[in-house]
Amino acid sequence: MPPVNNPYDTETLDGKRARAGLVRVHNGRVGENQEPQGGGASLAAPPDEPLPHPDPHRATVLVIGVAATVLFVVLRFAVALGGHDPLPADLWWDDLMHAGLNDVGLVIAWVPSIVGGVVGAPVVGILIIAIFLWRRRRWDAATLAVAIVTVTAIGAPMAAVIARVRPSDSLAESVATSFPSGHTAVATTIAVTLGLLLRRWYVWTLGVVWVAWMMWSRTYLHAHWASDVLAGLLEGIAVACLVWSAMQAYRIRREMSSRASSPGAGD
């Protein structure tokens, strides 16, 4: 009697081979006559991913950061050689701010001083970091956080060590030390770091406007000499550029190290 084909019999040749371990899945396809490798290792091979590459602008940013650092040191020595007294340009600018003092100007000047102050600046920084985390941009959030912490950790002790006296008629600050301007340094650090991270022309434009507004505000309120806010600008540029460059290098090294230590990296 001829054999009868059973429609419920699923024991095909491929099935027998699969049970014998002679068939494995590779990139979603069945490859016949391929022996499984690595014992109990995963049979699905992940697609190759390109190795991370350094940002093409990193060298330029690093040079700018080093140049800003050098200029800050030069300005620091110029202030020290003058006995920490205001420079001639400081006195000229302070007189100019006195001549233009009025109620409308005071209101405009107080806005960046409050927003970028001891309470306002941390709140703004935390809010931006939270937005980065919400958008799952963890490296951007970490870069901005490190930059803000670094500029704050440098600026306050430096002002205490340099101990330059503020203008006697300050309308905004009671602490005696003024070099460099902490408000300007933090504002510049946030603006430059965001510009490097987001790479949008309007981010750079808003950053330049915000920093210029802050610098003018601090001198209009006679909280700083002009050289104080210039030092804060240089400090913020240096910190933002150097921290961004360091975080870029660390991220690439970490990813390449992780790739090298992952299973099957040398296959």
Side-chain angles (χ1 to χ4, degrees):
M1 184 177 203
V4 179
N5 293 330
N6 186 355
Y8 299 101
D9 183 8
T10 58
E11 189 67 7
T12 62
L13 179 58
D14 286 341
K16 293 178 181 179
R17 288 177 176 175
R19 289 199 302 112
L22 299 179
V23 177
R24 69 186 180 98
V25 176
H26 180 71
N27 291 336
R29 296 183 180 179
V30 176
E32 296 185 1
N33 301 327
Q34 299 179 12
E35 296 290 344
Q37 301 176 2
S42 174
L43 299 180
D48 293 335
E49 297 179 1
L51 291 173
H53 296 286
D55 190 291
H57 301 289
R58 193 175 70 182
T60 302
V61 173
L62 185 60
V63 170
I64 293 174
V66 173
T69 303
V70 173
L71 291 175
F72 178 89
V73 173
V74 171
L75 181 58
R76 163 72 182 96
F77 277 109
V79 170
L81 291 175
H84 293 151
D85 293 330
L87 304 175
D90 293 331
L91 296 175
W92 170 80
W93 184 260
D94 190 62
D95 291 339
L96 188 64
M97 294 297 98
H98 268 293
L101 200 63
N102 56 68
D103 292 339
V104 175
L106 288 174
V107 172
I108 297 174
W110 271 109
V111 173
S113 290
I114 295 174
V115 175
V118 177
V119 177
V123 170
V124 172
I126 292 173
L127 179 61
I128 298 174
I129 291 170
I131 293 175
F132 276 140
L133 291 175
W134 176 62
R135 297 292 300 273
R136 297 183 179 179
R137 301 180 64 159
R138 293 178 296 174
W139 278 103
D140 291 349
T143 301
L144 182 59
V146 171
I148 293 175
V149 170
T150 301
V151 74
T152 303
I154 292 175
M158 187 184 302
V161 170
I162 296 175
R164 190 187 200 188
V165 179
R166 296 181 188 274
S168 58
D169 52 353
S170 173
L171 302 176
E173 300 292 342
S174 59
V175 180
T177 55
S178 68
F179 185 98
S181 168
H183 282 66
T184 304
V186 174
T188 305
T189 299
I190 294 176
V192 174
T193 303
L194 289 179
L196 292 172
L197 293 175
L198 301 178
R199 305 293 178 87
R200 297 290 187 270
W201 67 267
Y202 54 84
V203 175
W204 285 110
T205 301
L206 291 175
V208 169
V209 171
W210 176 249
V211 172
W213 189 6
M214 180 67 76
M215 295 175 69
W216 168 83
S217 165
R218 301 307 286 166
T219 56
Y220 191 83
L221 296 173
H222 307 291
H224 288 282
W225 302 108
S227 54
D228 296 339
V229 296
L230 178 58
L233 173 69
L234 294 173
E235 179 191 355
I237 293 174
V239 169
C241 291
L242 296 179
V243 167
W244 179 86
S245 299
M247 291 294 287
Q248 285 284 312
Y250 174 73
R251 179 180 184 180
I252 293 173
R253 181 175 299 179
R254 186 173 182 271
E255 291 182 357
M256 294 184 70
S257 176
S258 176
R259 179 73 61 84
S261 61
S262 62
D267 293 348

